[in-house]
Amino acid sequence: MNTENVVKHLRVLWRTDRIIADIRMRHLLVGLGLRAFAALIAAFGLLMLELSAYFALVQIWSAIYAAAILGAVNFVIAALLFAIAARPPSGRELELANEIHGASVDALQIEARALQSHVSGVVHNPLHGILPLMIIPLITIIIKSLKKPAAAAAPAKSAAAEPK
């Protein structure tokens, strides 16, 4: 497990989550603005259309039937506007951000599995975790101990060779 990889994947995950949230927020704000604008225009437009339609329908039917027909038409138009505003966001940005998000989550899961296997290996056999750290100091101690007797034997041989 590499902590740099974990940090890198967490940064990518954080950034893609921010991008996804930003895209969705922009979509919600645009949708809300369009709904409000559509409602305002629809209110003024329908008021004028209803007034003219009411005067036209009163000539043909009674005032009650004219008002009922115009109310039903208003509900149909409002339903169409809400259906158009409720469309899901479509765009390559959101798809790309979702793909990057998925890839970074997968990479974090791989790092977590590596950490879990490393920790379980250390718990089950603690020497495997300590042994690599101890090999180099042990080798240096062994080499130094092997050099000391050879170095001590060399002055003894030179002292024995001088009395002849």
Side-chain angles (χ1 to χ4, degrees):
M1 183 185 129
N2 190 352
T3 56
E4 292 177 12
N5 286 341
V6 171
V7 170
K8 180 179 73 170
H9 294 310
L10 284 173
R11 283 182 183 162
V12 169
L13 186 64
W14 172 257
R15 287 178 183 162
T16 56
D17 281 342
R18 284 189 358 216
I19 291 170
I20 290 169
D22 184 49
I23 291 169
R24 288 184 179 161
M25 183 62 73
R26 277 189 277 142
H27 179 264
L28 287 175
L29 288 176
V30 168
L32 181 63
L34 287 175
R35 286 182 186 129
F37 189 62
L40 181 66
I41 290 176
F44 290 127
L46 282 177
L47 181 65
M48 292 297 127
L49 284 176
E50 283 189 31
L51 189 60
S52 65
Y54 179 75
F55 288 135
L57 290 175
V58 168
Q59 301 295 324
I60 301 170
W61 293 305
S62 70
I64 295 172
Y65 289 126
I69 290 171
L70 290 176
V73 169
N74 286 339
F75 281 124
V76 169
I77 292 171
L80 287 173
L81 287 174
F82 278 115
I84 290 170
R87 288 185 319 217
S90 61
R92 294 181 183 153
E93 293 175 344
L94 185 58
E95 292 174 10
L96 178 64
N98 283 329
E99 287 177 16
I100 294 171
H101 182 267
S104 62
V105 167
D106 291 341
L108 279 174
Q109 287 176 348
I110 290 170
E111 292 292 333
R113 285 187 193 116
L115 175 65
Q116 180 184 9
S117 66
H118 179 70
V119 168
S120 65
V122 168
V123 168
H124 291 302
N125 195 351
L127 288 179
H128 284 280
I130 297 172
L131 194 57
L133 299 174
M134 298 297 292
I135 287 177
I136 294 176
L138 286 175
I139 290 173
T140 56
I141 291 171
I142 291 170
I143 290 173
K144 286 180 182 179
S145 66
L146 290 175
K147 286 182 178 179
K148 285 181 184 178
K157 286 182 182 179
S158 64
E162 286 179 13
K164 293 183 182 179

